[in-house]
Amino acid sequence: MTDLFAFGLGVATRNARGDILDVFYPAPIVAPKGALGDFLASEIPARQVTVTGDFAARVADLITDAAAAAAHRALAEFDGPLEAVLLRSDDPIASTAEAYLKLHLLSHRLALPNTLNLEGIFAKLPNVVWTSAGAIDVSEFAARQIDARRRGA
């Protein structure tokens, strides 16, 4: 059995270049253990991988918490790629997806304030415009705003 720090499976918002702007993790998991931990350790060789709904369904089958399993089953139905982040330890943040996983650990009250290593977080959080449509790349905002007005939104 492998000791793991945290796992998150979520939906990323990307800009036109494919860069991650933010990631929504509906049910992050602290210290996944047992069959789930073994599965994650064997299937996620790097800290972050892009996966499909099939992966989410397999994770859901291994989760013992009913609410977390339901959230992962909902992700399995998502039409598009998902981001899986597996942190083996509480190291400094290496990517935008990792930054959002740690922020979600705090938001879900799975970690207390001032207990996570947030070193490097500001360098990994891109500047975005927050809108009712979600995060938008600053350089793409004007075009998106014109498009929304054209559609009457």
Side-chain angles (χ1 to χ4, degrees), residues 60-137:
D61 289 342
L62 296 171
I63 294 175
T64 56
D65 177 77
H72 285 80
R73 280 191 194 88
L75 286 173
E77 300 298 320
F78 186 78
D79 185 29
L82 302 168
E83 292 302 313
V85 174
L86 180 63
L87 302 178
R88 287 173 166 75
S89 60
D90 189 17
D91 292 330
I93 293 168
S95 70
T96 300
E98 286 182 27
Y100 275 97
L101 175 56
K102 288 192 175 185
L103 291 173
H104 277 263
L105 291 173
L106 291 166
S107 294
H108 287 264
R109 294 194 248 175
L110 298 172
L112 294 171
N114 301 314
T115 62
L116 296 178
N117 182 351
L118 299 178
E119 181 181 340
I121 192 168
F122 293 112
K124 299 302 178 186
L125 291 174
N127 288 323
V128 298
V129 177
W130 288 102
T131 72
S132 59
I136 298 175
D137 190 297

Side-chain angles (χ1 to χ4, degrees), residues 15-16 18 21 30 33 42 138 142:
N15 64 13
L21 301 177
V30 173
K33 296 186 181 348
S42 69
V138 172

Side-chain angles (χ1 to χ4, degrees), residues 28-52:
I29 299 170
V30 173
K33 296 186 181 348
L36 175 62
D38 292 342
F39 171 76
L40 295 173
S42 69
E43 295 295 316
I44 304 177
R47 290 167 70 139
Q48 176 182 343
V49 295
T50 302
V51 298
T52 65

